[in-house]
Amino acid sequence: MASSTPLKALRKEAKTQLSDNFSRALAVLCVSLMFSAVFMMIDQTFNSFLNTDTSFLILSESQGNEDSLMVDLLGFIGATILNPSFLIAAIISIFNFLITAPLKMGTGWWYYSLAANGNLQVGNIFAFYKTNSYYTASIMFEIKLFLKKLVYAIASFAPSLVALVMAFERDGSEYTLKPDSEGETIIMISLVLAAAGIIFYVFLSLNFFLSRYLFAIGECEKADEAFDRSKVIMHGDKSTVVQMAMSLIGWYLLCVLIIPLGYVIPLHNACMARCARDIIEKHKKYEASDQHKFVEL
């Protein structure tokens, strides 16, 4: 099901809406950046007090010669998880998630309101902090979305990582590439699998592109309902979202030299929200038309 409005028209409309409310969009961005800066400062402060040794990042040489690279990697991951610096970073990240998850939901709602010419008070980005039910619902939504994307990421990139591990063999206390071009061949296969994994991950993740908007604006009361409905609506519109995202790459390249990132990020959010609204509204019309035909029959 193709988009009912050309992408060029959607981008133009989004730019117009953003230009009329740019100061508010900039305030929304500043609030998000402020939260990120605070947690980065907290993380750096704890690390400076701990002054933790990071030499554990080097694979241990104490493993026996019979051990595989996979075994050593698992040991490395275990040592990393048990490292105090990592544990503190994980705790801060969890705390950051619990604080900012409702803000993500409120930001999505604000940009969808921008696309719909609705209420654009900056304070609306804090709407999901107002009651315990709103706060809990937004937290559960973000947790479920994170877990779904994590599963997709593991499924998408596990084959390439396994192939990469198979390209090396232990030589004494070190790992070297397998000889006779075997290792190079396996690495090439790993790169091909990684490229396919990226495409596969993007394809799967696009199923949930609309879920945050649907949940934030109240179209769906539960997270699972938002995921399911987003998947149904996005069945024929994944290419529309990809084209919109690809059309904004040039803006990100320009921001390196000319246009400040403080404009490009709100523009990206406005365009994606406008694209989401177009897809949702088109699907509503399609459902209404089908229901009308059913009643006539």
Side-chain angles (χ1 to χ4, degrees):
M1 192 187 303
S3 176
S4 59
T5 307
L7 288 179
K8 188 175 181 180
L10 290 178
R11 286 197 305 271
K12 183 177 180 181
E13 185 174 345
K15 288 179 185 177
T16 301
Q17 293 168 333
L18 181 63
S19 62
D20 293 339
N21 299 277
F22 180 71
S23 59
R24 295 177 179 178
L26 189 60
V28 170
L29 176 62
C30 288
V31 171
S32 300
L33 292 176
M34 181 184 68
F35 273 82
S36 299
V38 168
F39 283 102
M40 286 179 61
M41 291 174 61
I42 294 174
D43 186 33
Q44 291 180 358
T45 301
F46 273 103
N47 285 328
S48 63
F49 277 119
L50 284 175
N51 195 21
T52 308
D53 181 19
T54 58
S55 59
F56 69 93
L57 293 175
I58 302 175
L59 287 178
S60 173
E61 296 182 2
S62 62
Q63 302 287 343
N65 290 342
E66 72 279 1
D67 289 341
S68 67
L69 178 57
M70 183 65 74
V71 173
D72 282 355
L73 284 174
L74 291 176
F76 160 72
I77 293 173
T80 302
I81 293 174
L82 295 176
N83 184 270
S85 180
F86 177 85
L87 291 175
I88 290 177
I91 293 173
I92 293 175
S93 298
I94 293 173
F95 186 63
N96 182 15
F97 178 85
L98 294 175
I99 295 297
T100 59
L103 184 65
K104 288 183 181 179
M105 190 68 67
T107 302
W109 181 28
W110 191 89
Y111 274 102
Y112 194 89
S113 297
L114 176 68
N117 297 311
N119 188 349
L120 296 177
Q121 294 181 359
V122 176
N124 287 342
I125 64 175
F126 300 108
F128 289 86
Y129 294 98
K130 291 182 177 180
T131 65
N132 289 334
S133 59
Y134 281 179
Y135 177 80
T136 304
S138 62
I139 291 292
M140 293 306 300
F141 174 90
E142 295 296 341
I143 290 175
K144 290 181 178 180
L145 182 60
F146 170 77
L147 292 177
K148 285 178 178 293
K149 290 188 175 182
L150 179 62
V151 171
Y152 286 167
I154 293 173
S156 300
F157 299 109
S160 64
L161 291 176
V162 172
L164 183 62
V165 169
M166 293 174 61
F168 294 87
E169 62 181 5
R170 180 182 281 279
D171 182 12
S173 62
E174 298 180 351
Y175 286 98
T176 59
L177 199 63
K178 289 184 176 180
D180 301 328
S181 72
E182 181 183 358
E184 296 178 359
T185 301
I186 296 177
I187 286 180
M188 291 300 297
I189 294 175
S190 175
L191 292 175
V192 172
L193 290 174
I198 292 173
I199 297 173
F200 186 61
Y201 176 77
V202 171
F203 178 81
L204 292 177
S205 297
L206 283 173
N207 286 326
F208 307 125
F209 169 70
L210 298 174
S211 58
R212 183 178 284 117
Y213 296 110
L214 291 169
F215 191 79
I217 64 178
E219 288 285 333
C220 299
E221 295 183 357
K222 297 182 179 180
D224 292 334
E225 181 186 354
F227 297 142
D228 292 341
R229 189 172 182 193
S230 176
K231 187 175 182 179
V232 171
I233 298 176
M234 288 299 296
H235 179 70
D237 282 293
K238 292 184 178 69
S239 60
T240 302
V241 178
V242 171
Q243 290 174 35
M244 175 63 82
M246 294 291 289
S247 70
L248 297 171
I249 291 178
W251 286 94
Y252 281 99
L253 295 176
L254 286 175
C255 76
V256 177
L257 300 174
I258 305 172
I259 302 174
L261 198 61
Y263 176 77
V264 178
I265 293 178
L267 175 63
H268 174 271
N269 292 336
C271 288
M272 300 311 290
R274 184 63 189 87
C275 181
R277 178 174 177 261
D278 183 69
I279 294 173
I280 292 173
E281 292 299 321
K282 175 198 61 180
H283 188 76
K284 285 182 179 180
K285 292 179 181 178
Y286 181 78
E287 287 181 331
S289 176
D290 274 4
Q291 186 176 7
H292 179 68
K293 291 179 181 178
F294 178 77
V295 171
E296 286 182 344
L297 292 173

